[in-house]
Amino acid sequence: MSTGKQQLNRRQFLKASAAAVITLSAVGSLAFWLKDKSDVKDKGFLRPPGAIPEEDFLFACIKCGLCVQICPVHAVKLADWDTGLSYGTPYIDPNVQACDFSCDSIQCAETCPTSALHFPVFRSAGEKAVEELYKQYPNRKLPPNVNPFVVQIHAMKRAYKLGVAKVNVQQCLAYHGQGYKGPLTKHRAKMRPPGKGDRIYTDEITVDRKICDLCVVYCPLQEDAIVLKDQGGGKFLPEVLDGCVGCGVCQMVCPTEPKAIVIEPEENPKV
Amino acid sequence: MAFIYDFLHGDKRRKPLPAKKKDELPHVRLGMTYKEWHDQAKGRHTWRNRRWAFLIFINLLFVVSFTFDLGLLEGSLSGSRLLGLYLMDPFNSTQELAIGATKGYIPHLTTNFWTGFITILVFYWLVGGRAFCSWVCPYHFFAEWGEKFHDYWIKKRKIKEKTYDITVKYVFWIGFILLALLTGELVFENLNPVGILSRSIIYGPGLALIWVVALLAYEVIGVKRFWCRYVCPIGVTYSFIGELSPINIKFELDKCGHCRDCQDVCLVPHELWFVKKGAATREVHYTGGDCTKCGLCIDACPGGSLSYGIRDSDLIFKS
């Protein structure tokens, strides 16, 4: 036998539960709708290195921001409502600050606790490269001028594609035989120029080029990824090679508006 | 189910002890008037101040670590790293595991994830589950201020008090897990004021704060502590962890004058069911999983009948 008070409690509970279920279904349908709209490819943003396919990324990423904290050039940001991405997920806007490859070990992927940025891809690539390096020498003895660590990092940074650079020929200054003089970027961004050296602020240095070739000069992967080709008649055009991993530095330093070289995000295979 | 209920809430089912007679009340025994006795707790905010200091310290530590790149406490309240040791939000992790189980993703979770998840489970079992809410959660801090405005307007009779059935939070908890499974996405994270606030504090404010402000406004003019009491699945997860925590709020019947000031300040007054006259079934009671261990009741208690204590220490160490 249930007393009157118990009955009242039950009615209250059922009423509140009904409200909860209605709210939850509303939230759920909104989530489905938003999920359709959240497509990193359309928005011109990149996911950080090692991002698993978007479908899995959305549940694997817990939006903690550890990748944001660890990035030495602060390339990774967390999506807000206005980005059109799923709220709180990390992204890179190469127009503002590209991933410049100046970190030591792809820490953003290494720090990710849920493997939304999948580190084992990098690790195995690095280990494989070192193993092959040792095999090249008799008795696996490296000469003193060969540093396996450099080889390892080099291989790790090439292990994963964020996208591929695409050149918009009509926009390109070099194609019209024009040069560029002025600050490397108008806004403040951080990067390490190819080769050795400290990180610089891109708005602090001035460049003067007879033929604009900033994307080629500042590409972290250099001739593996991009070269300037003579088109004849004083015209030049950068050519993107297979080595390009889509870090976005070329897009960041490109002086034209809209950019003559843009990264097309590429979804990587399921791990 | 009945067995679990008995195990956790068996005290409620026991026969109540006889209600105190007039000369057994603490102020009579101490030879005070009721007003003198009752005024003893006036303006006392010891635990509240300690708690606010700790809450602000933790949240500032995130900010300072990020701004000056100190690496003390990185990440946000969804997942963080304290001096290299990972800590994971338990509800986020639960959703992650639920979706991961259906999609075969669990083997991909890192060791850091598991250490973080287990560390949080063990730590919050020790200090009492929802202690997270009142001692760490930034939303709780703002909601506590909102509650003050709410109480003021209730007193001025501008708004009416509304309450819902508290068990509805379990419906929300299951619902959010189901939504995560259905959509294959951490849906709750889009609504989570804890995460939104934490991220806004650390990485700079964003548009998502609009939702948090709207929620706070609803708590001020609508339903008192709506999110924390009736919805927040993070709190529910912590309440599961803290159901049998050793550190707890201890209640001693002989010092209680049944003024019930503690229930007025409490976020979850049903946890203090034993302070009602004639309701206690033992001389000593402990609060349960919903209790946030905030210490407001300790400050409010004139007779010192409430204190932090170790659960069942009175049964284990009989003096």
Side-chain angles (χ1 to χ4, degrees):
Chain A
M1 276 298 281
S2 53
T3 63
K5 202 182 166 200
Q6 272 174 336
Q7 269 177 0
L8 187 69
N9 279 345
R10 193 168 301 148
R11 198 182 309 148
Q12 270 185 351
F13 173 71
L14 288 176
K15 253 167 107 178
S17 309
V21 169
I22 291 167
T23 320
L24 283 166
S25 3
V27 169
S29 8
L30 191 67
F32 270 119
W33 182 71
L34 282 174
K35 200 178 174 182
D36 278 349
K37 302 198 90 187
S38 163
D39 188 355
V40 73
K41 278 183 180 171
D42 300 344
K43 310 290 190 298
F45 297 130
L46 310 171
R47 290 290 186 205
I52 58 177
E54 191 72 3
E55 188 201 338
D56 289 352
F57 189 83
L58 288 178
F59 75 80
C61 172
I62 57 160
K63 295 123 178 131
C64 62
L66 280 165
C67 49
V68 179
Q69 302 231 339
I70 207 108
C71 181
V73 294
H74 300 299
V76 186
K77 296 200 169 51
L78 293 185
D80 200 355
W81 286 355
D82 54 351
T83 55
L85 303 177
S86 178
Y87 171 74
T89 50
Y91 72 98
I92 293 173
D93 185 354
N95 283 329
V96 180
Q97 170 69 63
C99 160
D100 77 329
F101 272 61
S102 66
C103 57
D104 308 314
S105 62
I106 331 264
Q107 299 99 317
C108 51
E110 198 174 5
T111 195
C112 181
T114 52
S115 282
L117 309 176
H118 201 72
F119 190 66
V121 177
F122 299 109
R123 187 165 48 212
S124 53
E127 280 164 2
K128 207 173 138 200
V130 172
E131 182 58 32
E132 259 156 34
L133 175 75
Y134 275 102
K135 271 186 196 161
Q136 284 171 20
Y137 297 96
N139 298 332
R140 301 173 66 85
K141 261 204 144 155
L142 296 183
N145 63 336
V146 177
N147 185 349
F149 192 63
V150 171
V151 175
Q152 187 180 5
I153 298 292
H154 190 83
M156 280 166 79
K157 287 176 179 172
R158 280 155 180 76
Y160 201 93
K161 273 179 190 261
L162 284 78
V164 171
K166 286 269 148 57
V167 183
N168 181 354
V169 179
Q170 287 309 316
Q171 280 289 326
C172 184
L173 291 177
Y175 187 70
H176 300 295
Q178 291 169 3
Y180 174 74
K181 195 178 174 182
L184 186 51
T185 60
K186 289 187 182 72
H187 65 281
R188 173 157 282 218
K190 235 177 174 184
M191 74 170 291
R192 176 183 287 164
K196 282 177 185 157
D198 287 334
R199 292 194 183 94
I200 51 161
Y201 285 113
T202 48
D203 59 338
E204 280 174 2
I205 56 166
T206 327
V207 287
D208 185 6
R209 297 258 154 208
K210 292 249 158 47
I211 297 290
C212 174
D213 58 353
L214 295 179
C215 50
V216 179
V217 173
Y218 284 93
C219 174
L221 298 181
Q222 295 287 291
E223 60 274 10
D224 283 357
I226 193 165
V227 285
L228 198 66
K229 280 267 168 78
D230 194 341
Q231 305 284 314
K235 289 182 174 181
F236 293 86
L237 203 60
E239 195 191 355
V240 181
L241 307 174
D242 283 348
C244 174
V245 295
C247 67
V249 168
C250 50
Q251 185 177 346
M252 180 171 79
V253 298
C254 183
T256 65
E257 197 62 51
K259 302 281 183 184
I261 188 160
V262 176
I263 307 295
E264 262 185 17
E266 222 173 66
E267 208 161 77
N268 281 270
K270 235 180 157 117
V271 285
Chain B
M1 285 299 278
F3 166 74
I4 297 170
Y5 186 88
D6 267 3
F7 184 62
L8 297 174
H9 305 290
D11 280 1
K12 273 186 203 171
R13 293 234 177 132
R14 283 163 60 105
K15 200 167 157 260
L17 297 173
K20 281 184 189 173
K21 294 196 186 72
K22 203 164 179 213
D23 57 335
E24 285 172 337
L25 288 169
H27 67 274
V28 179
R29 277 186 298 156
L30 292 164
M32 293 168 160
T33 64
Y34 178 76
K35 196 173 178 306
E36 273 171 2
W37 175 82
H38 191 243
D39 281 354
Q40 286 183 106
K42 223 176 183 179
R44 187 165 62 195
H45 295 300
T46 325
W47 280 106
R48 188 200 68 183
N49 293 349
R50 282 177 199 172
R51 184 163 53 80
W52 281 359
F54 184 80
L55 191 148
I56 292 167
F57 170 74
I58 288 281
N59 283 288
L60 271 185
L61 200 58
F62 274 114
V63 180
V64 170
S65 299
F66 180 54
T67 324
F68 302 105
D69 201 12
L70 296 178
L72 299 172
L73 185 55
E74 301 160 285
S76 70
L77 286 177
S78 302
S80 59
R81 195 166 46 189
L82 175 67
L83 297 170
L85 176 73
Y86 275 77
L87 304 168
M88 303 298 293
D89 176 293
F91 186 61
N92 248 338
S93 311
T94 312
Q95 288 177 88
E96 188 86 28
L97 290 173
I99 306 177
T102 59
K103 298 205 173 185
Y105 191 74
I106 290 183
H108 292 305
L109 298 172
T110 63
T111 320
N112 288 332
F113 172 86
W114 291 107
T115 48
F117 187 40
I118 291 164
T119 311
I120 282 287
L121 293 185
V122 172
F123 178 76
Y124 280 103
W125 168 71
L126 268 174
V127 300
R130 285 189 75 186
F132 170 84
C133 300
S134 60
W135 288 79
V136 178
C137 175
Y139 184 73
H140 185 279
F141 182 77
F142 292 109
E144 231 178 311
W145 282 96
E147 193 182 341
K148 283 191 196 305
F149 289 111
H150 180 84
D151 286 347
Y152 176 77
W153 279 325
I154 291 275
K155 217 168 134 191
K156 293 269 166 192
R157 299 184 181 232
K158 300 262 190 220
I159 40 178
K160 264 189 177 172
E161 189 67 82
K162 244 187 277 171
T163 52
Y164 296 126
D165 191 313
I166 202 122
T167 33
V168 74
K169 64 192 174 177
Y170 300 116
V171 178
F172 274 111
W173 192 85
I174 295 167
F176 276 119
I177 297 252
L178 285 179
L179 273 189
L181 285 172
L182 282 174
T183 58
E185 196 185 342
L186 306 185
V187 177
F188 173 68
E189 211 42 39
N190 296 309
L191 300 174
N192 178 7
V194 188
I196 294 176
L197 259 178
S198 180
R199 260 170 247 130
S200 299
I201 293 168
I202 301 161
Y203 307 114
L207 286 174
L209 270 184
I210 296 170
W211 159 248
V212 180
V213 172
L215 203 58
L216 264 177
Y218 183 62
E219 289 195 359
V220 173
I221 58 174
V223 181
K224 185 170 171 175
R225 297 307 289 272
F226 171 73
W227 186 265
C228 304
R229 273 184 185 170
Y230 307 113
V231 184
C232 186
I234 301 181
V236 173
T237 318
Y238 278 115
S239 80
F240 292 148
I241 303 169
E243 199 63 72
L244 287 171
S245 286
I247 295 182
N248 229 308
I249 303 287
K250 181 183 178 186
F251 166 76
E252 288 156 283
L253 180 61
D254 65 325
K255 296 179 192 164
C256 178
H258 304 301
C259 67
R260 297 177 78 178
D261 280 4
C262 49
Q263 279 190 316
D264 286 345
V265 295
C266 184
L267 165 65
V268 278
H270 62 281
E271 282 294 348
L272 291 168
W273 57 275
F274 36 70
V275 301
K276 192 180 162 192
K277 193 169 184 177
T281 61
R282 292 178 189 276
E283 283 295 322
V284 177
H285 276 293
Y286 297 88
T287 52
D290 280 348
C291 172
T292 67
K293 282 82 185 167
C294 66
L296 283 178
C297 56
I298 301 177
D299 284 342
C301 183
S305 116
L306 292 156
S307 61
Y308 284 108
I310 309 284
R311 177 186 287 274
D312 293 342
S313 54
D314 60 308
L315 299 178
I316 299 163
F317 312 106
K318 270 190 179 149
S319 52

mmCIF file of all heavy atoms in Angstrom, chain A residues 151-186:
data_model
loop_
_atom_site.group_PDB
_atom_site.id
_atom_site.type_symbol
_atom_site.label_atom_id
_atom_site.label_comp_id
_atom_site.label_asym_id
_atom_site.label_seq_id
_atom_site.Cartn_x
_atom_site.Cartn_y
_atom_site.Cartn_z
ATOM 1 N N VAL A 151 67.235 12.393 -36.761
ATOM 2 C CA VAL A 151 66.570 11.559 -37.767
ATOM 3 C C VAL A 151 65.185 11.148 -37.287
ATOM 4 O O VAL A 151 64.209 11.158 -38.044
ATOM 5 C CB VAL A 151 67.442 10.311 -38.054
ATOM 6 C CG1 VAL A 151 66.728 9.365 -39.011
ATOM 7 C CG2 VAL A 151 68.781 10.732 -38.627
ATOM 8 N N GLN A 152 65.117 10.825 -35.998
ATOM 9 C CA GLN A 152 63.841 10.383 -35.423
ATOM 10 C C GLN A 152 62.788 11.500 -35.502
ATOM 11 O O GLN A 152 61.674 11.282 -35.979
ATOM 12 C CB GLN A 152 64.072 9.975 -33.967
ATOM 13 C CG GLN A 152 62.847 9.352 -33.330
ATOM 14 C CD GLN A 152 63.111 8.951 -31.896
ATOM 15 O OE1 GLN A 152 64.182 9.220 -31.350
ATOM 16 N NE2 GLN A 152 62.144 8.310 -31.290
ATOM 17 N N ILE A 153 63.148 12.697 -35.039
ATOM 18 C CA ILE A 153 62.214 13.831 -35.068
ATOM 19 C C ILE A 153 61.803 14.146 -36.506
ATOM 20 O O ILE A 153 60.625 14.399 -36.794
ATOM 21 C CB ILE A 153 62.878 15.076 -34.438
ATOM 22 C CG1 ILE A 153 63.234 14.819 -32.974
ATOM 23 C CG2 ILE A 153 61.965 16.285 -34.543
ATOM 24 C CD1 ILE A 153 62.071 14.667 -32.071
ATOM 25 N N HIS A 154 62.799 14.108 -37.380
ATOM 26 C CA HIS A 154 62.558 14.384 -38.789
ATOM 27 C C HIS A 154 61.490 13.436 -39.340
ATOM 28 O O HIS A 154 60.543 13.867 -40.006
ATOM 29 C CB HIS A 154 63.888 14.182 -39.548
ATOM 30 C CG HIS A 154 63.847 14.661 -40.953
ATOM 31 N ND1 HIS A 154 64.049 15.970 -41.283
ATOM 32 C CD2 HIS A 154 63.630 14.008 -42.113
ATOM 33 C CE1 HIS A 154 63.950 16.115 -42.585
ATOM 34 N NE2 HIS A 154 63.698 14.930 -43.117
ATOM 35 N N ALA A 155 61.610 12.158 -39.011
ATOM 36 C CA ALA A 155 60.651 11.170 -39.510
ATOM 37 C C ALA A 155 59.281 11.359 -38.864
ATOM 38 O O ALA A 155 58.241 11.222 -39.520
ATOM 39 C CB ALA A 155 61.171 9.767 -39.242
ATOM 40 N N MET A 156 59.291 11.696 -37.554
ATOM 41 C CA MET A 156 58.020 11.858 -36.835
ATOM 42 C C MET A 156 57.196 12.980 -37.451
ATOM 43 O O MET A 156 55.981 12.873 -37.608
ATOM 44 C CB MET A 156 58.287 12.159 -35.365
ATOM 45 C CG MET A 156 58.608 10.936 -34.539
ATOM 46 S SD MET A 156 59.285 11.377 -32.942
ATOM 47 C CE MET A 156 57.831 11.819 -32.044
ATOM 48 N N LYS A 157 57.874 14.069 -37.795
ATOM 49 C CA LYS A 157 57.141 15.226 -38.300
ATOM 50 C C LYS A 157 56.581 14.980 -39.692
ATOM 51 O O LYS A 157 55.688 15.691 -40.144
ATOM 52 C CB LYS A 157 58.043 16.446 -38.290
ATOM 53 C CG LYS A 157 58.249 16.941 -36.867
ATOM 54 C CD LYS A 157 59.209 18.080 -36.766
ATOM 55 C CE LYS A 157 59.313 18.520 -35.307
ATOM 56 N NZ LYS A 157 60.362 19.492 -35.094
ATOM 57 N N ARG A 158 57.106 13.976 -40.367
ATOM 58 C CA ARG A 158 56.596 13.657 -41.700
ATOM 59 C C ARG A 158 55.580 12.518 -41.667
ATOM 60 O O ARG A 158 55.112 12.067 -42.703
ATOM 61 C CB ARG A 158 57.762 13.281 -42.617
ATOM 62 C CG ARG A 158 58.490 14.487 -43.141
ATOM 63 C CD ARG A 158 59.908 14.138 -43.501
ATOM 64 N NE ARG A 158 60.613 15.303 -44.006
ATOM 65 C CZ ARG A 158 61.060 16.290 -43.230
ATOM 66 N NH1 ARG A 158 60.854 16.264 -41.934
ATOM 67 N NH2 ARG A 158 61.693 17.324 -43.751
ATOM 68 N N ALA A 159 55.257 12.030 -40.468
ATOM 69 C CA ALA A 159 54.449 10.810 -40.386
ATOM 70 C C ALA A 159 52.965 11.063 -40.599
ATOM 71 O O ALA A 159 52.208 10.139 -40.829
ATOM 72 C CB ALA A 159 54.657 10.142 -39.040
ATOM 73 N N TYR A 160 52.554 12.285 -40.516
ATOM 74 C CA TYR A 160 51.110 12.509 -40.503
ATOM 75 C C TYR A 160 50.769 13.782 -41.259
ATOM 76 O O TYR A 160 51.425 14.790 -41.114
ATOM 77 C CB TYR A 160 50.645 12.633 -39.051
ATOM 78 C CG TYR A 160 49.194 12.380 -38.875
ATOM 79 C CD1 TYR A 160 48.746 11.115 -38.550
ATOM 80 C CD2 TYR A 160 48.272 13.404 -39.040
ATOM 81 C CE1 TYR A 160 47.405 10.870 -38.402
ATOM 82 C CE2 TYR A 160 46.925 13.160 -38.883
ATOM 83 C CZ TYR A 160 46.492 11.892 -38.567
ATOM 84 O OH TYR A 160 45.168 11.642 -38.414
ATOM 85 N N LYS A 161 49.716 13.706 -42.021
ATOM 86 C CA LYS A 161 49.302 14.867 -42.806
ATOM 87 C C LYS A 161 48.154 15.604 -42.131
ATOM 88 O O LYS A 161 47.184 14.993 -41.703
ATOM 89 C CB LYS A 161 48.850 14.418 -44.188
ATOM 90 C CG LYS A 161 49.974 14.319 -45.193
ATOM 91 C CD LYS A 161 49.417 13.852 -46.524
ATOM 92 C CE LYS A 161 50.542 13.504 -47.459
ATOM 93 N NZ LYS A 161 50.879 14.511 -48.419
ATOM 94 N N LEU A 162 48.293 16.926 -42.045
ATOM 95 C CA LEU A 162 47.145 17.737 -41.646
ATOM 96 C C LEU A 162 46.333 18.084 -42.873
ATOM 97 O O LEU A 162 45.132 18.302 -42.810
ATOM 98 C CB LEU A 162 47.612 19.038 -40.981
ATOM 99 C CG LEU A 162 48.135 18.983 -39.558
ATOM 100 C CD1 LEU A 162 49.541 18.451 -39.531
ATOM 101 C CD2 LEU A 162 48.086 20.343 -38.916
ATOM 102 N N GLY A 163 47.014 18.170 -44.001
ATOM 103 C CA GLY A 163 46.364 18.520 -45.253
ATOM 104 C C GLY A 163 47.431 18.675 -46.317
ATOM 105 O O GLY A 163 48.563 18.242 -46.127
ATOM 106 N N VAL A 164 47.054 19.282 -47.413
ATOM 107 C CA VAL A 164 48.012 19.528 -48.480
ATOM 108 C C VAL A 164 47.839 20.962 -48.964
ATOM 109 O O VAL A 164 46.715 21.452 -49.078
ATOM 110 C CB VAL A 164 47.785 18.544 -49.654
ATOM 111 C CG1 VAL A 164 48.639 18.932 -50.848
ATOM 112 C CG2 VAL A 164 48.110 17.131 -49.239
ATOM 113 N N ALA A 165 48.956 21.634 -49.244
ATOM 114 C CA ALA A 165 48.880 23.011 -49.733
ATOM 115 C C ALA A 165 48.425 23.020 -51.186
ATOM 116 O O ALA A 165 48.853 22.201 -51.988
ATOM 117 C CB ALA A 165 50.245 23.667 -49.598
ATOM 118 N N LYS A 166 47.518 23.960 -51.492
ATOM 119 C CA LYS A 166 47.045 24.117 -52.865
ATOM 120 C C LYS A 166 47.330 25.550 -53.294
ATOM 121 O O LYS A 166 47.046 26.497 -52.541
ATOM 122 C CB LYS A 166 45.535 23.842 -52.937
ATOM 123 C CG LYS A 166 45.200 22.363 -52.807
ATOM 124 C CD LYS A 166 45.143 21.689 -54.155
ATOM 125 C CE LYS A 166 45.568 20.235 -54.149
ATOM 126 N NZ LYS A 166 44.873 19.335 -53.272
ATOM 127 N N VAL A 167 47.905 25.726 -54.493
ATOM 128 C CA VAL A 167 48.259 27.063 -54.965
ATOM 129 C C VAL A 167 47.144 27.618 -55.833
ATOM 130 O O VAL A 167 46.633 26.947 -56.717
ATOM 131 C CB VAL A 167 49.580 27.020 -55.761
ATOM 132 C CG1 VAL A 167 49.973 28.429 -56.176
ATOM 133 C CG2 VAL A 167 50.672 26.370 -54.955
ATOM 134 N N ASN A 168 46.761 28.854 -55.521
ATOM 135 C CA ASN A 168 45.794 29.566 -56.347
ATOM 136 C C ASN A 168 46.589 30.450 -57.313
ATOM 137 O O ASN A 168 47.070 31.530 -56.953
ATOM 138 C CB ASN A 168 44.886 30.407 -55.444
ATOM 139 C CG ASN A 168 43.833 31.160 -56.229
ATOM 140 O OD1 ASN A 168 43.839 31.139 -57.462
ATOM 141 N ND2 ASN A 168 42.946 31.832 -55.513
ATOM 142 N N VAL A 169 46.727 29.972 -58.531
ATOM 143 C CA VAL A 169 47.688 30.549 -59.474
ATOM 144 C C VAL A 169 47.436 32.035 -59.709
ATOM 145 O O VAL A 169 48.357 32.858 -59.687
ATOM 146 C CB VAL A 169 47.642 29.784 -60.819
ATOM 147 C CG1 VAL A 169 48.617 30.396 -61.798
ATOM 148 C CG2 VAL A 169 47.954 28.320 -60.586
ATOM 149 N N GLN A 170 46.197 32.415 -59.910
ATOM 150 C CA GLN A 170 45.906 33.815 -60.245
ATOM 151 C C GLN A 170 46.267 34.782 -59.130
ATOM 152 O O GLN A 170 46.574 35.943 -59.380
ATOM 153 C CB GLN A 170 44.420 33.959 -60.609
ATOM 154 C CG GLN A 170 44.057 33.363 -61.961
ATOM 155 C CD GLN A 170 44.966 33.844 -63.090
ATOM 156 O OE1 GLN A 170 45.288 35.034 -63.189
ATOM 157 N NE2 GLN A 170 45.439 32.920 -63.921
ATOM 158 N N GLN A 171 46.227 34.305 -57.877
ATOM 159 C CA GLN A 171 46.544 35.178 -56.740
ATOM 160 C C GLN A 171 48.039 35.338 -56.532
ATOM 161 O O GLN A 171 48.489 36.314 -55.942
ATOM 162 C CB GLN A 171 45.926 34.593 -55.459
ATOM 163 C CG GLN A 171 44.455 34.882 -55.274
ATOM 164 C CD GLN A 171 44.202 36.339 -54.951
ATOM 165 O OE1 GLN A 171 44.998 36.973 -54.291
ATOM 166 N NE2 GLN A 171 43.099 36.868 -55.455
ATOM 167 N N CYS A 172 48.802 34.388 -57.005
ATOM 168 C CA CYS A 172 50.219 34.311 -56.616
ATOM 169 C C CYS A 172 51.029 35.468 -57.196
ATOM 170 O O CYS A 172 50.972 35.748 -58.406
ATOM 171 C CB CYS A 172 50.784 32.977 -57.089
ATOM 172 S SG CYS A 172 52.486 32.729 -56.578
ATOM 173 N N LEU A 173 51.777 36.142 -56.336
ATOM 174 C CA LEU A 173 52.598 37.273 -56.767
ATOM 175 C C LEU A 173 53.688 36.811 -57.725
ATOM 176 O O LEU A 173 53.988 37.483 -58.714
ATOM 177 C CB LEU A 173 53.229 37.960 -55.555
ATOM 178 C CG LEU A 173 52.290 38.716 -54.607
ATOM 179 C CD1 LEU A 173 53.076 39.267 -53.432
ATOM 180 C CD2 LEU A 173 51.567 39.836 -55.328
ATOM 181 N N ALA A 174 54.300 35.655 -57.411
ATOM 182 C CA ALA A 174 55.395 35.161 -58.238
ATOM 183 C C ALA A 174 54.929 34.869 -59.658
ATOM 184 O O ALA A 174 55.665 35.059 -60.620
ATOM 185 C CB ALA A 174 55.993 33.898 -57.617
ATOM 186 N N TYR A 175 53.697 34.435 -59.786
ATOM 187 C CA TYR A 175 53.171 34.110 -61.106
ATOM 188 C C TYR A 175 53.069 35.369 -61.970
ATOM 189 O O TYR A 175 53.196 35.317 -63.180
ATOM 190 C CB TYR A 175 51.807 33.437 -60.981
ATOM 191 C CG TYR A 175 51.283 32.933 -62.309
ATOM 192 C CD1 TYR A 175 51.891 31.846 -62.944
ATOM 193 C CD2 TYR A 175 50.202 33.555 -62.946
ATOM 194 C CE1 TYR A 175 51.440 31.394 -64.158
ATOM 195 C CE2 TYR A 175 49.736 33.106 -64.158
ATOM 196 C CZ TYR A 175 50.360 32.011 -64.759
ATOM 197 O OH TYR A 175 49.898 31.564 -65.981
ATOM 198 N N HIS A 176 52.841 36.503 -61.311
ATOM 199 C CA HIS A 176 52.780 37.764 -62.034
ATOM 200 C C HIS A 176 54.133 38.464 -62.049
ATOM 201 O O HIS A 176 54.219 39.632 -62.424
ATOM 202 C CB HIS A 176 51.729 38.676 -61.398
ATOM 203 C CG HIS A 176 50.358 38.082 -61.415
ATOM 204 N ND1 HIS A 176 49.669 37.836 -62.585
ATOM 205 C CD2 HIS A 176 49.544 37.641 -60.416
ATOM 206 C CE1 HIS A 176 48.503 37.302 -62.305
ATOM 207 N NE2 HIS A 176 48.402 37.156 -60.998
ATOM 208 N N GLY A 177 55.161 37.738 -61.624
ATOM 209 C CA GLY A 177 56.512 38.286 -61.641
ATOM 210 C C GLY A 177 56.730 39.388 -60.615
ATOM 211 O O GLY A 177 57.645 40.193 -60.741
ATOM 212 N N GLN A 178 55.882 39.443 -59.572
ATOM 213 C CA GLN A 178 56.007 40.511 -58.586
ATOM 214 C C GLN A 178 56.796 40.065 -57.371
ATOM 215 O O GLN A 178 56.861 38.883 -57.051
ATOM 216 C CB GLN A 178 54.614 40.973 -58.134
ATOM 217 C CG GLN A 178 53.860 41.713 -59.230
ATOM 218 C CD GLN A 178 52.407 41.923 -58.856
ATOM 219 O OE1 GLN A 178 51.970 41.576 -57.776
ATOM 220 N NE2 GLN A 178 51.662 42.498 -59.791
ATOM 221 N N GLY A 179 57.374 41.026 -56.702
ATOM 222 C CA GLY A 179 58.100 40.751 -55.468
ATOM 223 C C GLY A 179 57.265 41.177 -54.277
ATOM 224 O O GLY A 179 56.104 41.578 -54.415
ATOM 225 N N TYR A 180 57.879 41.069 -53.072
ATOM 226 C CA TYR A 180 57.184 41.520 -51.870
ATOM 227 C C TYR A 180 58.174 42.166 -50.917
ATOM 228 O O TYR A 180 59.265 41.642 -50.680
ATOM 229 C CB TYR A 180 56.482 40.362 -51.171
ATOM 230 C CG TYR A 180 55.869 40.751 -49.852
ATOM 231 C CD1 TYR A 180 54.705 41.523 -49.798
ATOM 232 C CD2 TYR A 180 56.477 40.399 -48.653
ATOM 233 C CE1 TYR A 180 54.164 41.911 -48.598
ATOM 234 C CE2 TYR A 180 55.937 40.787 -47.444
ATOM 235 C CZ TYR A 180 54.773 41.537 -47.425
ATOM 236 O OH TYR A 180 54.247 41.935 -46.238
ATOM 237 N N LYS A 181 57.800 43.313 -50.411
ATOM 238 C CA LYS A 181 58.640 44.000 -49.444
ATOM 239 C C LYS A 181 57.752 44.399 -48.277
ATOM 240 O O LYS A 181 56.673 44.967 -48.494
ATOM 241 C CB LYS A 181 59.252 45.244 -50.101
ATOM 242 C CG LYS A 181 60.401 45.834 -49.326
ATOM 243 C CD LYS A 181 60.977 47.024 -50.071
ATOM 244 C CE LYS A 181 62.045 47.697 -49.214
ATOM 245 N NZ LYS A 181 62.602 48.872 -49.869
ATOM 246 N N GLY A 182 58.214 44.107 -47.082
ATOM 247 C CA GLY A 182 57.420 44.467 -45.918
ATOM 248 C C GLY A 182 57.596 43.439 -44.811
ATOM 249 O O GLY A 182 58.461 42.559 -44.903
ATOM 250 N N PRO A 183 56.779 43.564 -43.752
ATOM 251 C CA PRO A 183 56.878 42.590 -42.662
ATOM 252 C C PRO A 183 56.437 41.202 -43.131
ATOM 253 O O PRO A 183 55.584 41.099 -44.023
ATOM 254 C CB PRO A 183 55.930 43.132 -41.590
ATOM 255 C CG PRO A 183 54.963 43.987 -42.343
ATOM 256 C CD PRO A 183 55.719 44.556 -43.512
ATOM 257 N N LEU A 184 57.004 40.172 -42.536
ATOM 258 C CA LEU A 184 56.690 38.805 -42.952
ATOM 259 C C LEU A 184 55.193 38.527 -42.800
ATOM 260 O O LEU A 184 54.566 37.962 -43.685
ATOM 261 C CB LEU A 184 57.514 37.819 -42.117
ATOM 262 C CG LEU A 184 57.434 36.363 -42.495
ATOM 263 C CD1 LEU A 184 57.690 36.141 -43.964
ATOM 264 C CD2 LEU A 184 58.435 35.552 -41.666
ATOM 265 N N THR A 185 54.632 38.911 -41.642
ATOM 266 C CA THR A 185 53.167 38.890 -41.514
ATOM 267 C C THR A 185 52.750 40.200 -40.864
ATOM 268 O O THR A 185 53.526 40.793 -40.119
ATOM 269 C CB THR A 185 52.668 37.738 -40.632
ATOM 270 O OG1 THR A 185 53.236 37.887 -39.330
ATOM 271 C CG2 THR A 185 53.024 36.390 -41.195
ATOM 272 N N LYS A 186 51.516 40.599 -41.125
ATOM 273 C CA LYS A 186 51.057 41.867 -40.541
ATOM 274 C C LYS A 186 50.703 41.694 -39.069
ATOM 275 O O LYS A 186 50.906 42.592 -38.266
ATOM 276 C CB LYS A 186 49.858 42.387 -41.331
ATOM 277 C CG LYS A 186 50.281 42.885 -42.703
ATOM 278 C CD LYS A 186 49.137 43.553 -43.431
ATOM 279 C CE LYS A 186 49.578 43.984 -44.823
ATOM 280 N NZ LYS A 186 49.757 42.811 -45.727
#
